[in-house]
Amino acid sequence: MPYEPPTHTVERSLRATTGAKIIAGVDEVGRGAWAGPVTVCAAVTGLRRPPEGLTDSKLITPKRRAVLAAELERWVTCHALGHASPEEIDDLGMTAALRLAAVRALDGLPVRPDAVILDGKHDYLGAPWRVRTVIKGDQSCIAVAAASVIAKVRRDALMAELGLEAAAFEPYAFGENAGYPSPVHKAALHELGPTPFHRLSWAYLDAMPRWRHLRKVRLPVETAALESGGQLGFDF
């Protein structure tokens, strides 16, 4: 399916309207997974032409995505990743965990951005960062698209490594599903229960009578109502 390549339009707008010189594109991966961290990449690209074929990581085949990520890591001015662990997601909730991972990524850059382009419509980063949210920014903004591809490839590799840590983790097929609820993953959960890599505050455990007692309850009712949309409303 044809798609429009991303551009520097938003970066140029921020430069013109705010005076920002260093602009980071930020994107996350793993928000809808049942296991593993949520991972955020911050990438600074300047206004150079990107490698051919750059777009939202979900629109690229895994093989091409891996090649492109390697190209991007050499091409970007700088980039850094931040993670929030399953335990932090359980303790803080997804919104706060996303912010934690994003701040870790931004703090990991060798330069502090003057502005941040954040994929999506919700600003989970907030002050003191100057944030511009862009719906489908991973398709339309070069810096965000670069962050999208790097984050996806690096988190997929991390999940594959977790799946190989012990034979007990092989049935979950993390190398194939990256912690998302695939049929194989669900079957392993029903039979074997959650691993140390699983998010235990999530509602999937309610459908597993053998393991329901492991579910963590951490949020007051008001916060839980906000977070439930974050758990159920994302594309797997």
Side-chain angles (χ1 to χ4, degrees):
M1 183 176 179
Y3 53 84
E4 291 294 323
T7 68
H8 288 301
T9 299
V10 178
E11 288 96 325
R12 293 183 189 279
S13 172
L14 280 169
R15 284 171 178 250
T17 59
T18 70
K21 296 181 179 179
I22 301 172
I23 300 171
V26 170
D27 199 15
E28 56 76 26
V29 64
R31 191 185 327 212
W34 286 3
V38 63
T39 296
V40 173
C41 180
V44 177
T45 67
L47 298 178
R48 294 171 296 136
R49 178 178 295 180
E52 189 71 24
L54 177 62
T55 187
D56 173 11
S57 64
K58 296 186 291 295
L59 301 178
I60 307 172
T61 65
K63 183 177 180 179
R64 173 57 185 152
R65 197 161 54 215
V67 172
L68 183 57
E71 294 178 13
L72 288 168
E73 290 192 19
R74 295 189 297 268
W75 172 79
V76 297
T77 304
C78 58
H79 77 282
L81 288 108
H83 308 278
S85 69
E87 293 83 0
E88 289 170 328
I89 293 169
D90 286 335
D91 290 343
L92 302 174
M94 182 52 74
T95 300
L98 277 170
R99 186 179 195 280
L100 181 63
V103 169
R104 286 169 173 166
L106 289 164
D107 284 346
L109 294 171
V111 292
R112 183 178 176 87
D114 301 313
V116 173
I117 304 172
L118 192 62
D119 181 51
K121 63 180 178 179
H122 299 298
D123 177 9
Y124 57 76
L125 189 56
W129 303 94
R130 178 185 290 166
V131 176
R132 173 78 62 85
T133 58
V134 179
I135 296 173
K136 294 188 177 181
D138 48 9
Q139 293 184 37
S140 61
C141 301
I142 286 174
V144 179
S148 166
V149 173
I150 294 171
K152 173 64 175 169
V153 170
R154 293 286 290 274
R155 184 182 182 277
D156 282 358
L158 183 153
M159 292 303 298
E161 290 174 7
L162 292 181
L164 296 174
E165 281 192 4
F169 304 142
E170 291 180 9
Y172 300 87
F174 290 146
E176 299 172 11
N177 58 54
Y180 286 84
S182 70
V184 171
H185 185 178
K186 290 180 181 179
L189 269 170
H190 275 281
E191 179 66 24
L192 303 171
T195 71
F197 312 127
H198 280 88
R199 303 169 187 181
L200 299 181
S201 60
W202 286 45
Y204 68 84
L205 282 173
D206 289 342
M208 301 179 184
R210 291 177 62 189
W211 314 108
R212 191 179 297 152
H213 65 287
L214 297 175
R215 187 178 180 196
K216 291 183 179 180
V217 178
R218 53 160 177 78
L219 296 174
V221 173
E222 296 83 0
T223 309
L226 294 173
E227 291 292 354
S228 63
Q231 291 183 17
L232 301 177
F234 299 100
D235 292 333
F236 294 166

